[in-house]
mmCIF file of all heavy atoms in Angstrom:
data_model
loop_
_atom_site.group_PDB
_atom_site.id
_atom_site.type_symbol
_atom_site.label_atom_id
_atom_site.label_comp_id
_atom_site.label_asym_id
_atom_site.label_seq_id
_atom_site.Cartn_x
_atom_site.Cartn_y
_atom_site.Cartn_z
ATOM 1 N N ASN A 384 38.325 -1.127 19.625
ATOM 2 C CA ASN A 384 37.675 -2.444 19.629
ATOM 3 C C ASN A 384 38.495 -3.499 20.367
ATOM 4 O O ASN A 384 37.961 -4.360 21.044
ATOM 5 C CB ASN A 384 37.392 -2.899 18.201
ATOM 6 C CG ASN A 384 36.637 -4.208 18.162
ATOM 7 O OD1 ASN A 384 35.558 -4.335 18.724
ATOM 8 N ND2 ASN A 384 37.221 -5.213 17.522
ATOM 9 N N LYS A 385 39.828 -3.431 20.230
ATOM 10 C CA LYS A 385 40.687 -4.442 20.874
ATOM 11 C C LYS A 385 40.577 -4.395 22.398
ATOM 12 O O LYS A 385 40.830 -5.383 23.087
ATOM 13 C CB LYS A 385 42.142 -4.264 20.447
ATOM 14 C CG LYS A 385 42.746 -2.925 20.843
ATOM 15 C CD LYS A 385 44.170 -2.822 20.338
ATOM 16 C CE LYS A 385 44.760 -1.447 20.660
ATOM 17 N NZ LYS A 385 46.145 -1.335 20.142
ATOM 18 N N TYR A 386 40.211 -3.218 22.938
ATOM 19 C CA TYR A 386 40.037 -3.104 24.383
ATOM 20 C C TYR A 386 38.607 -3.436 24.802
ATOM 21 O O TYR A 386 38.377 -3.928 25.904
ATOM 22 C CB TYR A 386 40.351 -1.680 24.852
ATOM 23 C CG TYR A 386 41.768 -1.233 24.603
ATOM 24 C CD1 TYR A 386 42.051 -0.280 23.629
ATOM 25 C CD2 TYR A 386 42.825 -1.750 25.338
ATOM 26 C CE1 TYR A 386 43.348 0.151 23.397
ATOM 27 C CE2 TYR A 386 44.127 -1.321 25.120
ATOM 28 C CZ TYR A 386 44.381 -0.367 24.140
ATOM 29 O OH TYR A 386 45.659 0.051 23.927
ATOM 30 N N LEU A 387 37.649 -3.131 23.931
ATOM 31 C CA LEU A 387 36.239 -3.336 24.280
ATOM 32 C C LEU A 387 35.817 -4.786 24.193
ATOM 33 O O LEU A 387 34.859 -5.208 24.821
ATOM 34 C CB LEU A 387 35.347 -2.490 23.359
ATOM 35 C CG LEU A 387 35.428 -0.976 23.586
ATOM 36 C CD1 LEU A 387 34.741 -0.227 22.457
ATOM 37 C CD2 LEU A 387 34.807 -0.608 24.921
ATOM 38 N N THR A 388 36.525 -5.573 23.366
ATOM 39 C CA THR A 388 36.203 -6.989 23.241
ATOM 40 C C THR A 388 36.887 -7.749 24.373
ATOM 41 O O THR A 388 38.098 -7.700 24.506
ATOM 42 C CB THR A 388 36.678 -7.553 21.891
ATOM 43 O OG1 THR A 388 36.138 -6.747 20.853
ATOM 44 C CG2 THR A 388 36.230 -8.988 21.714
ATOM 45 N N HIS A 389 36.120 -8.422 25.180
ATOM 46 C CA HIS A 389 36.645 -9.096 26.367
ATOM 47 C C HIS A 389 37.387 -10.375 26.004
ATOM 48 O O HIS A 389 37.105 -11.021 25.003
ATOM 49 C CB HIS A 389 35.506 -9.447 27.333
ATOM 50 C CG HIS A 389 34.753 -8.242 27.792
ATOM 51 N ND1 HIS A 389 34.925 -7.687 29.026
ATOM 52 C CD2 HIS A 389 33.838 -7.471 27.160
ATOM 53 C CE1 HIS A 389 34.147 -6.634 29.159
ATOM 54 N NE2 HIS A 389 33.474 -6.482 28.039
ATOM 55 N N THR A 390 38.323 -10.745 26.874
ATOM 56 C CA THR A 390 39.070 -11.990 26.677
ATOM 57 C C THR A 390 38.145 -13.185 26.631
ATOM 58 O O THR A 390 38.354 -14.125 25.861
ATOM 59 C CB THR A 390 40.096 -12.178 27.819
ATOM 60 O OG1 THR A 390 40.971 -11.056 27.843
ATOM 61 C CG2 THR A 390 40.911 -13.441 27.596
ATOM 62 N N SER A 391 37.107 -13.164 27.466
ATOM 63 C CA SER A 391 36.166 -14.285 27.482
ATOM 64 C C SER A 391 35.463 -14.415 26.135
ATOM 65 O O SER A 391 35.187 -15.519 25.666
ATOM 66 C CB SER A 391 35.134 -14.097 28.594
ATOM 67 O OG SER A 391 34.430 -12.882 28.421
ATOM 68 N N ASP A 392 35.165 -13.259 25.485
ATOM 69 C CA ASP A 392 34.569 -13.291 24.155
ATOM 70 C C ASP A 392 35.537 -13.910 23.158
ATOM 71 O O ASP A 392 35.154 -14.687 22.296
ATOM 72 C CB ASP A 392 34.190 -11.872 23.701
ATOM 73 C CG ASP A 392 33.137 -11.244 24.604
ATOM 74 O OD1 ASP A 392 32.370 -12.009 25.206
ATOM 75 O OD2 ASP A 392 33.100 -10.022 24.697
ATOM 76 N N HIS A 393 36.806 -13.522 23.281
ATOM 77 C CA HIS A 393 37.834 -14.085 22.412
ATOM 78 C C HIS A 393 37.934 -15.595 22.600
ATOM 79 O O HIS A 393 38.044 -16.342 21.623
ATOM 80 C CB HIS A 393 39.192 -13.442 22.707
ATOM 81 C CG HIS A 393 39.348 -12.072 22.115
ATOM 82 N ND1 HIS A 393 40.468 -11.314 22.311
ATOM 83 C CD2 HIS A 393 38.526 -11.334 21.336
ATOM 84 C CE1 HIS A 393 40.345 -10.158 21.678
ATOM 85 N NE2 HIS A 393 39.166 -10.141 21.092
ATOM 86 N N ASN A 394 37.915 -16.017 23.854
ATOM 87 C CA ASN A 394 38.047 -17.448 24.130
ATOM 88 C C ASN A 394 36.892 -18.246 23.535
ATOM 89 O O ASN A 394 37.091 -19.348 23.027
ATOM 90 C CB ASN A 394 38.128 -17.692 25.643
ATOM 91 C CG ASN A 394 39.450 -17.245 26.229
ATOM 92 O OD1 ASN A 394 40.410 -17.009 25.501
ATOM 93 N ND2 ASN A 394 39.505 -17.114 27.532
ATOM 94 N N THR A 395 35.693 -17.690 23.593
ATOM 95 C CA THR A 395 34.534 -18.364 23.000
ATOM 96 C C THR A 395 34.700 -18.499 21.498
ATOM 97 O O THR A 395 34.437 -19.559 20.920
ATOM 98 C CB THR A 395 33.241 -17.588 23.321
ATOM 99 O OG1 THR A 395 33.099 -17.473 24.740
ATOM 100 C CG2 THR A 395 32.024 -18.292 22.752
ATOM 101 N N LEU A 396 35.153 -17.428 20.853
ATOM 102 C CA LEU A 396 35.367 -17.454 19.405
ATOM 103 C C LEU A 396 36.508 -18.397 19.043
ATOM 104 O O LEU A 396 36.402 -19.176 18.086
ATOM 105 C CB LEU A 396 35.660 -16.041 18.893
ATOM 106 C CG LEU A 396 35.947 -15.905 17.386
ATOM 107 C CD1 LEU A 396 34.820 -16.503 16.550
ATOM 108 C CD2 LEU A 396 36.166 -14.440 17.019
ATOM 109 N N LEU A 397 37.589 -18.352 19.807
ATOM 110 C CA LEU A 397 38.729 -19.236 19.535
ATOM 111 C C LEU A 397 38.351 -20.701 19.723
ATOM 112 O O LEU A 397 38.825 -21.565 18.972
ATOM 113 C CB LEU A 397 39.910 -18.867 20.442
ATOM 114 C CG LEU A 397 40.619 -17.564 20.094
ATOM 115 C CD1 LEU A 397 41.604 -17.173 21.196
ATOM 116 C CD2 LEU A 397 41.342 -17.674 18.757
ATOM 117 N N LEU A 398 37.505 -20.982 20.706
ATOM 118 C CA LEU A 398 37.036 -22.354 20.899
ATOM 119 C C LEU A 398 36.258 -22.827 19.673
ATOM 120 O O LEU A 398 36.430 -23.963 19.213
ATOM 121 C CB LEU A 398 36.166 -22.449 22.152
ATOM 122 C CG LEU A 398 35.536 -23.821 22.420
ATOM 123 C CD1 LEU A 398 36.612 -24.869 22.673
ATOM 124 C CD2 LEU A 398 34.563 -23.739 23.599
ATOM 125 N N HIS A 399 35.411 -21.958 19.149
ATOM 126 C CA HIS A 399 34.649 -22.294 17.940
ATOM 127 C C HIS A 399 35.589 -22.552 16.759
ATOM 128 O O HIS A 399 35.423 -23.541 16.027
ATOM 129 C CB HIS A 399 33.682 -21.157 17.609
ATOM 130 C CG HIS A 399 32.989 -21.331 16.290
ATOM 131 N ND1 HIS A 399 32.002 -22.272 16.078
ATOM 132 C CD2 HIS A 399 33.165 -20.698 15.096
ATOM 133 C CE1 HIS A 399 31.589 -22.205 14.821
ATOM 134 N NE2 HIS A 399 32.280 -21.258 14.207
ATOM 135 N N LEU A 400 36.579 -21.684 16.579
ATOM 136 C CA LEU A 400 37.526 -21.846 15.471
ATOM 137 C C LEU A 400 38.325 -23.137 15.623
ATOM 138 O O LEU A 400 38.540 -23.863 14.638
ATOM 139 C CB LEU A 400 38.485 -20.648 15.424
ATOM 140 C CG LEU A 400 37.867 -19.287 15.102
ATOM 141 C CD1 LEU A 400 38.927 -18.197 15.203
ATOM 142 C CD2 LEU A 400 37.248 -19.294 13.712
ATOM 143 N N LEU A 401 38.755 -23.419 16.845
ATOM 144 C CA LEU A 401 39.527 -24.638 17.089
ATOM 145 C C LEU A 401 38.679 -25.885 16.851
ATOM 146 O O LEU A 401 39.156 -26.877 16.282
ATOM 147 C CB LEU A 401 40.082 -24.630 18.514
ATOM 148 C CG LEU A 401 40.911 -25.852 18.929
ATOM 149 C CD1 LEU A 401 42.061 -26.089 17.969
ATOM 150 C CD2 LEU A 401 41.428 -25.676 20.354
ATOM 151 N N THR A 402 37.430 -25.845 17.275
ATOM 152 C CA THR A 402 36.524 -26.982 17.055
ATOM 153 C C THR A 402 36.350 -27.252 15.564
ATOM 154 O O THR A 402 36.339 -28.414 15.130
ATOM 155 C CB THR A 402 35.151 -26.708 17.706
ATOM 156 O OG1 THR A 402 35.335 -26.470 19.108
ATOM 157 C CG2 THR A 402 34.221 -27.887 17.533
ATOM 158 N N GLU A 403 36.239 -26.182 14.771
ATOM 159 C CA GLU A 403 36.127 -26.335 13.319
ATOM 160 C C GLU A 403 37.397 -26.946 12.737
ATOM 161 O O GLU A 403 37.336 -27.823 11.867
ATOM 162 C CB GLU A 403 35.855 -24.970 12.671
ATOM 163 C CG GLU A 403 34.479 -24.411 12.962
ATOM 164 C CD GLU A 403 33.369 -25.308 12.419
ATOM 165 O OE1 GLU A 403 33.443 -25.696 11.251
ATOM 166 O OE2 GLU A 403 32.440 -25.636 13.185
ATOM 167 N N LEU A 404 38.549 -26.505 13.213
ATOM 168 C CA LEU A 404 39.823 -27.049 12.733
ATOM 169 C C LEU A 404 39.957 -28.529 13.086
ATOM 170 O O LEU A 404 40.467 -29.324 12.289
ATOM 171 C CB LEU A 404 40.993 -26.255 13.329
ATOM 172 C CG LEU A 404 41.248 -24.877 12.729
ATOM 173 C CD1 LEU A 404 42.248 -24.098 13.578
ATOM 174 C CD2 LEU A 404 41.765 -25.002 11.294
ATOM 175 N N VAL A 405 39.514 -28.889 14.286
ATOM 176 C CA VAL A 405 39.562 -30.297 14.711
ATOM 177 C C VAL A 405 38.676 -31.156 13.813
ATOM 178 O O VAL A 405 39.060 -32.249 13.388
ATOM 179 C CB VAL A 405 39.149 -30.438 16.194
ATOM 180 C CG1 VAL A 405 38.875 -31.893 16.552
ATOM 181 C CG2 VAL A 405 40.235 -29.874 17.098
ATOM 182 N N LYS A 406 37.487 -30.664 13.513
ATOM 183 C CA LYS A 406 36.572 -31.399 12.630
ATOM 184 C C LYS A 406 37.190 -31.609 11.258
ATOM 185 O O LYS A 406 37.118 -32.693 10.668
ATOM 186 C CB LYS A 406 35.251 -30.650 12.499
ATOM 187 C CG LYS A 406 34.372 -30.705 13.739
ATOM 188 C CD LYS A 406 33.091 -29.900 13.520
ATOM 189 C CE LYS A 406 32.208 -29.904 14.758
ATOM 190 N NZ LYS A 406 31.006 -29.044 14.586
ATOM 191 N N GLU A 407 37.813 -30.555 10.732
ATOM 192 C CA GLU A 407 38.443 -30.649 9.418
ATOM 193 C C GLU A 407 39.614 -31.623 9.446
ATOM 194 O O GLU A 407 39.782 -32.435 8.517
ATOM 195 C CB GLU A 407 38.925 -29.264 8.971
ATOM 196 C CG GLU A 407 37.802 -28.291 8.677
ATOM 197 C CD GLU A 407 38.299 -26.871 8.462
ATOM 198 O OE1 GLU A 407 39.526 -26.695 8.270
ATOM 199 O OE2 GLU A 407 37.471 -25.937 8.487
ATOM 200 N N ALA A 408 40.432 -31.551 10.500
ATOM 201 C CA ALA A 408 41.586 -32.448 10.622
ATOM 202 C C ALA A 408 41.143 -33.896 10.795
ATOM 203 O O ALA A 408 41.740 -34.820 10.227
ATOM 204 C CB ALA A 408 42.457 -32.013 11.801
ATOM 205 N N ALA A 409 40.066 -34.111 11.556
ATOM 206 C CA ALA A 409 39.548 -35.463 11.769
ATOM 207 C C ALA A 409 39.006 -36.044 10.464
ATOM 208 O O ALA A 409 39.253 -37.213 10.138
ATOM 209 C CB ALA A 409 38.459 -35.443 12.833
#
Side-chain angles (χ1 to χ4, degrees):
N384 184 57
K385 62 182 177 181
Y386 298 109
L387 290 168
T388 306
H389 300 257
T390 302
S391 58
D392 297 333
H393 282 177
N394 288 345
T395 302
L396 178 55
L397 288 170
L398 176 63
H399 172 72
L400 295 176
L401 180 55
T402 302
E403 290 298 311
L404 285 169
V405 167
K406 287 179 182 176
E407 292 170 15

